[in-house]
Amino acid sequence: MITLYSMPSSGNSYKVRLLLAHLNVPYNHVAVEYDGDSTLTRTDDFLTKNPAGKVPTVEFDNGECLSESNAILHYFGEGTRFVPQDRLTRARMYQWMFFEQNFHESTVAVRSAVYVYPQREMDRSPERLAALLDAGHKALDIMEAQLSNGPYLAGGSLSLADICLYGYTHSAENGGFDISSRKGIVQWINRVREEPGHVTLDWLPQPTF
Amino acid sequence: MITLYSMPSSGNSYKVRLLLAHLNVPYNHVAVEYDGDSTLTRTDDFLTKNPAGKVPTVEFDNGECLSESNAILHYFGEGTRFVPQDRLTRARMYQWMFFEQNFHESTVAVRSAVYVYPQREMDRSPERLAALLDAGHKALDIMEAQLSNGPYLAGGSLSLADICLYGYTHSAENGGFDISSRKGIVQWINRVREEPGHVTLDWLPQPTF
C-alpha cells in the first residue's frame, strides 16, 4: 500500500486526498502539520524522499517517491475518467494545473496561509496583503471567465483541473477573497462537492454559500 | 499552420520554441516583447485568446488557443520521444515541470527579469534581491541533487522536463546565480545544447562555461 505524507490543512495535500478518495485508492497517511511535526520534512530521511522537503509526497512499496501535488494527480489520474480523452481538452486541463501552481497558488493560497497560520503573522503587512488580494482576485476572475461559460474547467465533466483548483479556491474566503459575487465559481464549487465520492477538507472553515 | 505568440527574451516562451524546433513543427511567429508591443497582450482580441493576457500562447487554425508554456510543451510533446514511456518516469517529468512553475520560475526567472528589464528597476531592493537569491539557489540545489546523479531530470534521455527547466536555468547567471560551481547542472546544460536540433535563446547573453 502506498504511503501519503500530507498536511491536513493544506490545499495542495487535500487535492491529492480528494483524488485518491474518488478513485478508492487506499493509503497509509502520515500527517505532517505546519507546526509541530513539520520538522519531519527537514530530516535527512525525508529529504531523500523529496529533496524539496515538502508535502504532499507519495512513497510506493518499493521505496520510490513522487512529489508535487499536481504530478501526483497526473500519476493517479492518468487513464481514468478524470483525464479528458480529447487531446486539446487534455492539454487545457494541464493549462489550468500549471496556472494553479504559478499564479493561483502564489496569490490565493499564500494570502489564506498568511491568515490561517499564526506563524505567518510577520507576512501580514498592509502592502503585501493588498498586493496578494489584487493578484488573487485576478486569478479568480480568470477562473470565473471560464466557469460562467461552462460547468467545469476543461471539458464537460470533472477533471484533474477541477480537483486541483478546488483545493485552494473553495476555502479562499479564509484569505479574505470575494467568492460569493463570482457566481460561476460558486456554482462550480457546489458542483464539485456534490460529486459522488467527494471528501471535505475538515481542518479549515468550509464555504458558507 | 499554428501561430505562436511568444516573447523573444522570455524563458517561458523560449522553451516552446525549443520544443517546436526539435519536433520540426512550423509556425507563424508573433513576437511580443516586454515593452513596446507588449500592450498587444492587453487588447480585447488577445484576451479572448488567453484571459491571463500572457505569452506564450498558441493559436490553432480553427481559432482555438492554448496557453501556459508547460501545457503547450505537453500538447506538442505527447506521444513523442520527449515524454518517457514508463508511467512513474513520466510522472517525474511532470513533477519537475510543476516544480519549475511553482518554485524555480518564481525565484530564478524573477531575479533574472529584475536585472534584465529596465522596467523592473523598482523591484531591485536589497531585501528582495537577497531573498530571491537564497530561494533561487535552493531551487538550483534541488536540480543539482538530481543532475549530479543522472544525465537528465527524468529518465535516460532528453524529456519535456529538461526543455522546460533549461529555459531559465541556462541563463540564470543573468540573475546573479552561481551556476558554474554546480557541476551537474553545467554538464546538463552542455548536454541539452549539444542535442541535435537545439536552438538558442539569442536575445540574452549565453552561458560562459
Side-chain angles (χ1 to χ4, degrees), chain A residues 52 64-68 70-71 74-75 78 87 90-92 94-95 97-99 101-102 105 142, chain B residues 52 64-68 70-71 74-75 78 87 90-92 94-95 97-99 101-102 105 142:
Chain A
E64 297 249 40
C65 292
L66 182 66
S67 56
E68 292 294 329
N70 290 351
H74 158 86
Y75 179 86
E78 219 183 25
R87 181 183 175 195
R90 189 164 57 248
R92 287 250 168 72
Y94 287 104
Q95 175 183 308
M97 293 167 74
F98 284 112
F99 160 84
Q101 280 297 292
N102 187 256
E105 201 258 10
I142 291 169
Chain B
E64 297 249 42
C65 291
L66 182 65
S67 56
E68 292 293 330
N70 291 352
H74 158 86
Y75 180 86
E78 220 183 24
R87 182 183 175 195
R90 187 164 59 249
R92 288 253 168 71
Y94 287 104
Q95 174 183 310
M97 292 166 77
F98 284 110
F99 159 86
Q101 281 298 291
N102 186 256
E105 201 256 11
I142 291 168

Side-chain angles (χ1 to χ4, degrees), chain B residues 15-124:
Chain B
K15 54 184 151 171
V16 173
R17 299 196 301 272
L18 178 52
L19 178 65
L20 295 180
H22 274 303
L23 293 173
N24 289 311
V25 173
Y27 57 91
N28 298 314
H29 190 219
V30 178
V32 185
E33 209 26 273
Y34 193 75
D35 54 4
D37 285 344
S38 71
T39 50
L40 171 75
T41 60
R42 301 284 169 248
T43 61
D44 288 345
D45 180 55
F46 189 83
L47 290 170
T48 64
K49 303 184 199 301
N50 179 8
K54 291 180 179 177
V55 295
T57 292
V58 166
E59 184 170 11
F60 298 95
D61 283 346
N62 63 0
E64 297 249 42
C65 291
L66 182 65
S67 56
E68 292 293 330
S69 54
N70 291 352
I72 299 172
L73 294 188
H74 158 86
Y75 180 86
F76 288 101
E78 220 183 24
T80 74
R81 69 183 185 279
F82 299 113
V83 175
Q85 300 262 321
D86 174 70
R87 182 183 175 195
L88 183 56
T89 311
R90 187 164 59 249
R92 288 253 168 71
M93 181 192 80
Y94 287 104
Q95 174 183 310
W96 284 108
M97 292 166 77
F98 284 110
F99 159 86
E100 190 257 357
Q101 281 298 291
N102 186 256
F103 189 33
H104 187 280
E105 201 256 11
S106 62
T107 55
V108 175
V110 166
R111 197 174 199 269
S112 299
V114 163
Y115 279 114
V116 166
Y117 301 110
Q119 304 93 321
R120 297 293 297 274
E121 193 178 354
M122 71 288 197
D123 292 326
R124 292 181 199 155

Side-chain angles (χ1 to χ4, degrees), chain A residues 4-208:
Chain A
L4 173 66
Y5 298 83
S6 96
M7 184 165 147
S9 64
S10 147
N12 275 335
S13 288
Y14 165 57
K15 55 185 152 170
V16 173
R17 299 195 302 271
L18 178 52
L19 177 66
L20 295 179
H22 274 304
L23 293 173
N24 290 310
V25 173
Y27 57 89
N28 298 314
H29 189 220
V30 178
V32 185
E33 208 27 271
Y34 193 75
D35 54 3
D37 285 343
S38 71
T39 49
L40 171 76
T41 60
R42 300 284 169 248
T43 60
D44 289 344
D45 180 56
F46 189 84
L47 291 171
T48 63
K49 303 183 198 305
N50 178 6
K54 292 180 180 175
V55 294
T57 292
V58 166
E59 184 170 10
F60 299 95
D61 283 345
N62 63 0
E64 297 249 40
C65 292
L66 182 66
S67 56
E68 292 294 329
S69 54
N70 290 351
I72 299 171
L73 294 187
H74 158 86
Y75 179 86
F76 287 101
E78 219 183 25
T80 74
R81 70 185 185 280
F82 300 113
V83 175
Q85 300 263 319
D86 174 69
R87 181 183 175 195
L88 183 56
T89 310
R90 189 164 57 248
R92 287 250 168 72
M93 181 191 80
Y94 287 104
Q95 175 183 308
W96 284 108
M97 293 167 74
F98 284 112
F99 160 84
E100 190 258 357
Q101 280 297 292
N102 187 256
F103 188 33
H104 187 281
E105 201 258 10
S106 62
T107 55
V108 175
V110 166
R111 197 174 198 270
S112 299
V114 164
Y115 278 115
V116 166
Y117 301 110
Q119 303 93 320
R120 298 291 298 273
E121 193 177 353
M122 71 290 199
D123 292 326
R124 291 180 200 156
S125 74
E127 298 76 19
R128 180 153 166 77
L129 288 174
L132 288 171
L133 188 69
D134 183 54
H137 277 149
K138 285 202 177 89
L140 294 168
D141 284 342
I142 291 169
M143 291 180 67
E144 178 68 13
Q146 167 66 28
L147 293 169
S148 59
N149 280 309
Y152 296 100
L153 290 168
S157 60
L158 192 78
S159 78
L160 299 185
D162 303 295
I163 290 173
C164 166
L165 274 150
Y166 184 83
Y168 286 112
T169 304
H170 86 290
S171 59
E173 288 182 333
N174 294 316
F177 293 101
D178 172 19
I179 296 294
S180 59
S181 75
R182 293 175 168 85
K183 301 301 182 197
I185 293 181
V186 170
Q187 290 171 1
W188 169 79
I189 286 175
N190 286 320
R191 207 171 284 129
V192 174
R193 65 181 170 186
E194 284 162 11
E195 186 87 9
H198 184 77
V199 292
T200 56
L201 198 176
D202 292 330
W203 286 261
L204 286 179
Q206 290 297 293
T208 53

Side-chain angles (χ1 to χ4, degrees), chain B residues 107-155:
Chain B
T107 55
V108 175
V110 166
R111 197 174 199 269
S112 299
V114 163
Y115 279 114
V116 166
Y117 301 110
Q119 304 93 321
R120 297 293 297 274
E121 193 178 354
M122 71 288 197
D123 292 326
R124 292 181 199 155
S125 74
E127 298 76 17
R128 181 155 166 76
L129 289 175
L132 287 171
L133 189 68
D134 182 54
H137 277 149
K138 284 201 179 86
L140 294 169
D141 284 341
I142 291 168
M143 292 180 66
E144 178 68 12
Q146 167 66 28
L147 293 170
S148 59
N149 281 307
Y152 295 100
L153 290 167

